[in-house]
Amino acid sequence: MPHYVRLVYASRATFASAREGSGVEREIARILMQSRRNNPRDNLVGALYYADGYFFQCLEGEVAAVDTVYARIASDPRHQDVQVLMRQAISAPAFTGWAMKYGSIAGEVKALMARFGRREFNPYSFDEPVIAGMLDLLRSTPDVPVAVAEPAPVAPGASDARGRLSLALSVASLAVAVAALLVALLR
Ligand code: FAD
């Protein structure tokens, strides 16, 4: 029988927040895409929450798989001060079906913090009841789909060709203007 474990950690982002519109931040979207690509391969599930520069993540799976991904995550330069908040044996994962669920639950988290008498979201200070509350929120919230819109790749030489075309059009317009002027003068 497999031995499952749930590992919850907190960390601090090393990148500056750069929210464009109401979507998921680009750096977070990249992390989610990596997680959603890798975790099904490793039979891992879990959830991630990010706010005020802090990460709160829950990883669930077989012991060896969780330890391997956690070692990889802990050495990722996109965050620092990675600290395990909870590690417990579980009979079955709770986030089954979510390679890495992402909660857009700022309002709910604020209410949870208030319920536990906390003024801010600071996962390093979380005790077991707050962690359990966060996990309940993440479990019950809808998942957020992500896609990173990278700038469209430019084919080699395409910008040169574009430059040459625009120069040719400028020269042609100038020639038409000069011809029109000459015709007007000769009349
Ligand atoms: P690739 O995706 O091919 O990346 C190659 C290398 O480049 C890696 O070492 C990676 O750390 C680094 N890298 C990639 N993009 C960036 C970037 N934008 N800035 C700096 N370095 C970069 N991975 C999982 O598999 N599952 C998870 O659940 C998971 N959760 C994460 C949660 C957080 C908060 C963070 C910060 C990272 C998380 N990661 C997760 C990513 C993890 O740390 C590794 O980057 C990833 O697993 C490497 O995947 P890969 O071997 O496919 O390498």
Side-chain angles (χ1 to χ4, degrees), residues 31-53:
I31 290 169
L32 285 173
M33 286 173 72
Q34 264 182 320
S35 310
R36 289 172 184 183
R37 185 186 68 222
N38 290 343
N39 293 352
R41 173 197 70 196
D42 303 330
N43 286 324
L44 287 164
V45 292
L48 180 71
Y49 182 68
Y50 170 79
D52 305 334

Side-chain angles (χ1 to χ4, degrees), residues 9-127:
Y9 75 81
S11 66
R12 234 183 278 273
T14 48
F15 53 86
S17 248
R19 183 173 286 280
E20 295 160 16
S22 57
V24 175
E25 288 194 27
R26 180 177 289 255
E27 208 56 62
I28 307 295
R30 284 209 186 98
I31 290 169
L32 285 173
M33 286 173 72
Q34 264 182 320
S35 310
R36 289 172 184 183
R37 185 186 68 222
N38 290 343
N39 293 352
R41 173 197 70 196
D42 303 330
N43 286 324
L44 287 164
V45 292
L48 180 71
Y49 182 68
Y50 170 79
D52 305 334
Y54 295 111
F55 285 109
F56 173 92
Q57 187 176 29
C58 170
L59 294 157
E60 295 178 338
E62 288 191 36
V63 176
V66 169
D67 288 343
T68 303
V69 76
Y70 179 70
R72 215 160 63 221
I73 292 171
S75 62
D76 193 312
R78 289 171 286 185
H79 63 168
Q80 61 192 9
D81 305 330
V82 185
Q83 195 175 303
V84 174
L85 303 177
M86 167 196 275
R87 184 190 165 95
Q88 58 183 194
I90 49 173
S91 50
F95 286 95
T96 305
W98 292 295
M100 190 44 61
K101 194 173 187 188
Y102 186 70
S104 185
I105 46 172
E108 292 88 336
V109 170
K110 207 170 165 195
L112 182 78
M113 295 303 113
R115 190 143 45 89
F116 285 97
R118 284 149 198 269
R119 275 201 229 129
E120 53 165 9
F121 173 76
N122 176 353
Y124 292 105
S125 69
F126 286 0
D127 52 16

